Amino acid sequence: MNLDEHSLVLVLALLLDRIIGDPQWLWLRVPHPVAIFGRAIGYFDQHFNRDSLSKAQRRQNGVVAILVLSALAVVTGLVLHWFLMLFGPVGILLEIFCVAIFLAQKSLSDHVAAVATALKDEGLIGGRKAVSRIVGRDPETLDEPGVCRAAIESLAENFSDGVVAPALWFAIFGLPGLFFYKMLNTADSMIGHRSEKYVDFGWASARLDDIANWPAARLSILLIAVGAGIRRGTTAFRDAFKVGIRDGKLHRSPNSGRPEAAMAGALDLQLAGPRVYSGVVVREPMINGTGRDVATAGDVEDGISVFQASCMALTLFAFVAFVCLL
């Protein structure tokens, strides 16, 4: 399968994911591929990140672990693609489904919408409970605007690494590229943080994930700006693009700040700033400091609208790429 076929499969997978999302009925019966990736990562963590090892040994083991895991992911993608192609058109349909389950358009939209709904129906307690399912910060430290900002930030960040990045890796490298990226991204979420246990063992996973997400984070600025333009007009398009370029570097992550800054500009909101994770205050400057400083449930809903339009723009770009490659 070459680039034009990858683009067509991607277009159809994006449409499928947008319509049906993550089929929970299926994952109640069989393990999700990301869960399988997680078990493999957990195996290496358990056996090669023991307390008795030195910091240098942990870092070395972490490098070897992510290289082995990445290689296994690539080989799995190659074998699966070869196997599916044996079935002709049916195999292509199955590959479309395989790609769709690694995308997060509908599931992300639904989870963030649940925060707005909980705030309206159950107040702050319900909003904190709903947002705790999608962010790592301490929910009890959040007031209502803080809950809303957390939901919007999660929406923007996950647009990049849950939608744009897997789509981009598949479009260029097919299933091997998609599996490689999802293995890296899963490893980063599990062992890539800077806790005492993982600062060394997860170092390579975090650095490789930063590299793998670099193109998608920058492309996300443009896509969010286009989505803002579709939903909110030319001023929102201009502000999303301007703030995304200007303030994206203010975030501690080399990638997460880009889509968050673009969304902040699109909604005329301040995002980021000081946050609390596991009792530790992380101090960062405000993104889009001239924007509104109080976020509401309505802003969460507006963010979802921009997100959905940005996903539509990504699908359109993929379709244009397919046409150009014919």
Side-chain angles (χ1 to χ4, degrees), residues 287-300:
I287 290 173
N288 193 31
T290 60
R292 293 180 293 113
D293 60 356
V294 176
T296 67
D299 290 315
V300 176

mmCIF file with all atom_site columns, all heavy atoms in Angstrom, residues 287-300:
data_model
loop_
_atom_site.group_PDB
_atom_site.id
_atom_site.type_symbol
_atom_site.label_atom_id
_atom_site.label_alt_id
_atom_site.label_comp_id
_atom_site.label_asym_id
_atom_site.label_entity_id
_atom_site.label_seq_id
_atom_site.pdbx_PDB_ins_code
_atom_site.Cartn_x
_atom_site.Cartn_y
_atom_site.Cartn_z
_atom_site.occupancy
_atom_site.B_iso_or_equiv
_atom_site.pdbx_formal_charge
_atom_site.auth_seq_id
_atom_site.auth_comp_id
_atom_site.auth_asym_id
_atom_site.auth_atom_id
_atom_site.pdbx_PDB_model_num
ATOM 1  N N   . ILE A 1 287 ? -0.785  31.179 29.209 1.00 0.00 ? 287 ILE A N   1
ATOM 2  C CA  . ILE A 1 287 ? -0.820  31.262 27.750 1.00 0.00 ? 287 ILE A CA  1
ATOM 3  C C   . ILE A 1 287 ? -1.952  32.200 27.361 1.00 0.00 ? 287 ILE A C   1
ATOM 4  O O   . ILE A 1 287 ? -3.048  32.118 27.907 1.00 0.00 ? 287 ILE A O   1
ATOM 5  C CB  . ILE A 1 287 ? -1.030  29.866 27.144 1.00 0.00 ? 287 ILE A CB  1
ATOM 6  C CG1 . ILE A 1 287 ? 0.231   29.002 27.342 1.00 0.00 ? 287 ILE A CG1 1
ATOM 7  C CG2 . ILE A 1 287 ? -1.390  29.945 25.666 1.00 0.00 ? 287 ILE A CG2 1
ATOM 8  C CD1 . ILE A 1 287 ? 0.061   27.565 26.924 1.00 0.00 ? 287 ILE A CD1 1
ATOM 9  N N   . ASN A 1 288 ? -1.688  33.098 26.425 1.00 0.00 ? 288 ASN A N   1
ATOM 10 C CA  . ASN A 1 288 ? -2.664  34.104 25.996 1.00 0.00 ? 288 ASN A CA  1
ATOM 11 C C   . ASN A 1 288 ? -3.082  34.971 27.183 1.00 0.00 ? 288 ASN A C   1
ATOM 12 O O   . ASN A 1 288 ? -4.258  35.080 27.519 1.00 0.00 ? 288 ASN A O   1
ATOM 13 C CB  . ASN A 1 288 ? -3.892  33.463 25.344 1.00 0.00 ? 288 ASN A CB  1
ATOM 14 C CG  . ASN A 1 288 ? -4.769  34.475 24.616 1.00 0.00 ? 288 ASN A CG  1
ATOM 15 O OD1 . ASN A 1 288 ? -4.276  35.475 24.103 1.00 0.00 ? 288 ASN A OD1 1
ATOM 16 N ND2 . ASN A 1 288 ? -6.060  34.214 24.562 1.00 0.00 ? 288 ASN A ND2 1
ATOM 17 N N   . GLY A 1 289 ? -2.092  35.582 27.816 1.00 0.00 ? 289 GLY A N   1
ATOM 18 C CA  . GLY A 1 289 ? -2.328  36.361 29.030 1.00 0.00 ? 289 GLY A CA  1
ATOM 19 C C   . GLY A 1 289 ? -3.295  37.511 28.863 1.00 0.00 ? 289 GLY A C   1
ATOM 20 O O   . GLY A 1 289 ? -3.846  37.997 29.858 1.00 0.00 ? 289 GLY A O   1
ATOM 21 N N   . THR A 1 290 ? -3.525  37.970 27.637 1.00 0.00 ? 290 THR A N   1
ATOM 22 C CA  . THR A 1 290 ? -4.477  39.067 27.424 1.00 0.00 ? 290 THR A CA  1
ATOM 23 C C   . THR A 1 290 ? -5.907  38.573 27.224 1.00 0.00 ? 290 THR A C   1
ATOM 24 O O   . THR A 1 290 ? -6.829  39.386 27.071 1.00 0.00 ? 290 THR A O   1
ATOM 25 C CB  . THR A 1 290 ? -4.067  39.896 26.191 1.00 0.00 ? 290 THR A CB  1
ATOM 26 O OG1 . THR A 1 290 ? -4.045  39.049 25.034 1.00 0.00 ? 290 THR A OG1 1
ATOM 27 C CG2 . THR A 1 290 ? -2.681  40.510 26.388 1.00 0.00 ? 290 THR A CG2 1
ATOM 28 N N   . GLY A 1 291 ? -6.101  37.259 27.220 1.00 0.00 ? 291 GLY A N   1
ATOM 29 C CA  . GLY A 1 291 ? -7.440  36.712 27.026 1.00 0.00 ? 291 GLY A CA  1
ATOM 30 C C   . GLY A 1 291 ? -8.270  36.774 28.288 1.00 0.00 ? 291 GLY A C   1
ATOM 31 O O   . GLY A 1 291 ? -7.818  37.210 29.354 1.00 0.00 ? 291 GLY A O   1
ATOM 32 N N   . ARG A 1 292 ? -9.511  36.308 28.206 1.00 0.00 ? 292 ARG A N   1
ATOM 33 C CA  . ARG A 1 292 ? -10.402 36.284 29.368 1.00 0.00 ? 292 ARG A CA  1
ATOM 34 C C   . ARG A 1 292 ? -9.846  35.337 30.428 1.00 0.00 ? 292 ARG A C   1
ATOM 35 O O   . ARG A 1 292 ? -9.333  34.274 30.101 1.00 0.00 ? 292 ARG A O   1
ATOM 36 C CB  . ARG A 1 292 ? -11.805 35.838 28.948 1.00 0.00 ? 292 ARG A CB  1
ATOM 37 C CG  . ARG A 1 292 ? -12.518 36.834 28.041 1.00 0.00 ? 292 ARG A CG  1
ATOM 38 C CD  . ARG A 1 292 ? -13.912 36.354 27.638 1.00 0.00 ? 292 ARG A CD  1
ATOM 39 N NE  . ARG A 1 292 ? -13.839 35.172 26.786 1.00 0.00 ? 292 ARG A NE  1
ATOM 40 C CZ  . ARG A 1 292 ? -14.253 33.971 27.122 1.00 0.00 ? 292 ARG A CZ  1
ATOM 41 N NH1 . ARG A 1 292 ? -14.781 33.759 28.314 1.00 0.00 ? 292 ARG A NH1 1
ATOM 42 N NH2 . ARG A 1 292 ? -14.175 32.961 26.278 1.00 0.00 ? 292 ARG A NH2 1
ATOM 43 N N   . ASP A 1 293 ? -9.988  35.719 31.701 1.00 0.00 ? 293 ASP A N   1
ATOM 44 C CA  . ASP A 1 293 ? -9.386  34.920 32.771 1.00 0.00 ? 293 ASP A CA  1
ATOM 45 C C   . ASP A 1 293 ? -10.374 34.004 33.472 1.00 0.00 ? 293 ASP A C   1
ATOM 46 O O   . ASP A 1 293 ? -9.998  33.289 34.404 1.00 0.00 ? 293 ASP A O   1
ATOM 47 C CB  . ASP A 1 293 ? -8.694  35.828 33.796 1.00 0.00 ? 293 ASP A CB  1
ATOM 48 C CG  . ASP A 1 293 ? -9.667  36.813 34.458 1.00 0.00 ? 293 ASP A CG  1
ATOM 49 O OD1 . ASP A 1 293 ? -10.849 36.839 34.056 1.00 0.00 ? 293 ASP A OD1 1
ATOM 50 O OD2 . ASP A 1 293 ? -9.230  37.549 35.361 1.00 0.00 ? 293 ASP A OD2 1
ATOM 51 N N   . VAL A 1 294 ? -11.638 34.008 33.065 1.00 0.00 ? 294 VAL A N   1
ATOM 52 C CA  . VAL A 1 294 ? -12.641 33.131 33.682 1.00 0.00 ? 294 VAL A CA  1
ATOM 53 C C   . VAL A 1 294 ? -13.274 32.266 32.595 1.00 0.00 ? 294 VAL A C   1
ATOM 54 O O   . VAL A 1 294 ? -13.965 32.771 31.709 1.00 0.00 ? 294 VAL A O   1
ATOM 55 C CB  . VAL A 1 294 ? -13.735 33.938 34.401 1.00 0.00 ? 294 VAL A CB  1
ATOM 56 C CG1 . VAL A 1 294 ? -14.799 32.987 34.950 1.00 0.00 ? 294 VAL A CG1 1
ATOM 57 C CG2 . VAL A 1 294 ? -13.131 34.769 35.537 1.00 0.00 ? 294 VAL A CG2 1
ATOM 58 N N   . ALA A 1 295 ? -13.008 30.966 32.669 1.00 0.00 ? 295 ALA A N   1
ATOM 59 C CA  . ALA A 1 295 ? -13.582 30.026 31.703 1.00 0.00 ? 295 ALA A CA  1
ATOM 60 C C   . ALA A 1 295 ? -14.887 29.461 32.251 1.00 0.00 ? 295 ALA A C   1
ATOM 61 O O   . ALA A 1 295 ? -15.044 29.278 33.466 1.00 0.00 ? 295 ALA A O   1
ATOM 62 C CB  . ALA A 1 295 ? -12.605 28.892 31.423 1.00 0.00 ? 295 ALA A CB  1
ATOM 63 N N   . THR A 1 296 ? -15.808 29.163 31.366 1.00 0.00 ? 296 THR A N   1
ATOM 64 C CA  . THR A 1 296 ? -17.125 28.648 31.755 1.00 0.00 ? 296 THR A CA  1
ATOM 65 C C   . THR A 1 296 ? -17.423 27.352 31.003 1.00 0.00 ? 296 THR A C   1
ATOM 66 O O   . THR A 1 296 ? -16.707 26.971 30.073 1.00 0.00 ? 296 THR A O   1
ATOM 67 C CB  . THR A 1 296 ? -18.214 29.675 31.428 1.00 0.00 ? 296 THR A CB  1
ATOM 68 O OG1 . THR A 1 296 ? -18.305 29.810 29.993 1.00 0.00 ? 296 THR A OG1 1
ATOM 69 C CG2 . THR A 1 296 ? -17.897 31.031 32.042 1.00 0.00 ? 296 THR A CG2 1
ATOM 70 N N   . ALA A 1 297 ? -18.518 26.708 31.410 1.00 0.00 ? 297 ALA A N   1
ATOM 71 C CA  . ALA A 1 297 ? -18.956 25.502 30.707 1.00 0.00 ? 297 ALA A CA  1
ATOM 72 C C   . ALA A 1 297 ? -19.265 25.818 29.250 1.00 0.00 ? 297 ALA A C   1
ATOM 73 O O   . ALA A 1 297 ? -19.066 24.976 28.366 1.00 0.00 ? 297 ALA A O   1
ATOM 74 C CB  . ALA A 1 297 ? -20.177 24.905 31.401 1.00 0.00 ? 297 ALA A CB  1
ATOM 75 N N   . GLY A 1 298 ? -19.742 27.028 28.985 1.00 0.00 ? 298 GLY A N   1
ATOM 76 C CA  . GLY A 1 298 ? -19.986 27.437 27.601 1.00 0.00 ? 298 GLY A CA  1
ATOM 77 C C   . GLY A 1 298 ? -18.707 27.473 26.784 1.00 0.00 ? 298 GLY A C   1
ATOM 78 O O   . GLY A 1 298 ? -18.720 27.138 25.588 1.00 0.00 ? 298 GLY A O   1
ATOM 79 N N   . ASP A 1 299 ? -17.600 27.862 27.413 1.00 0.00 ? 299 ASP A N   1
ATOM 80 C CA  . ASP A 1 299 ? -16.313 27.857 26.713 1.00 0.00 ? 299 ASP A CA  1
ATOM 81 C C   . ASP A 1 299 ? -15.878 26.428 26.388 1.00 0.00 ? 299 ASP A C   1
ATOM 82 O O   . ASP A 1 299 ? -15.270 26.182 25.346 1.00 0.00 ? 299 ASP A O   1
ATOM 83 C CB  . ASP A 1 299 ? -15.242 28.534 27.569 1.00 0.00 ? 299 ASP A CB  1
ATOM 84 C CG  . ASP A 1 299 ? -15.459 30.032 27.688 1.00 0.00 ? 299 ASP A CG  1
ATOM 85 O OD1 . ASP A 1 299 ? -15.742 30.671 26.657 1.00 0.00 ? 299 ASP A OD1 1
ATOM 86 O OD2 . ASP A 1 299 ? -15.347 30.554 28.815 1.00 0.00 ? 299 ASP A OD2 1
ATOM 87 N N   . VAL A 1 300 ? -16.165 25.498 27.296 1.00 0.00 ? 300 VAL A N   1
ATOM 88 C CA  . VAL A 1 300 ? -15.850 24.091 27.020 1.00 0.00 ? 300 VAL A CA  1
ATOM 89 C C   . VAL A 1 300 ? -16.617 23.633 25.779 1.00 0.00 ? 300 VAL A C   1
ATOM 90 O O   . VAL A 1 300 ? -16.061 22.976 24.888 1.00 0.00 ? 300 VAL A O   1
ATOM 91 C CB  . VAL A 1 300 ? -16.198 23.201 28.228 1.00 0.00 ? 300 VAL A CB  1
ATOM 92 C CG1 . VAL A 1 300 ? -15.953 21.722 27.893 1.00 0.00 ? 300 VAL A CG1 1
ATOM 93 C CG2 . VAL A 1 300 ? -15.380 23.612 29.448 1.00 0.00 ? 300 VAL A CG2 1
#
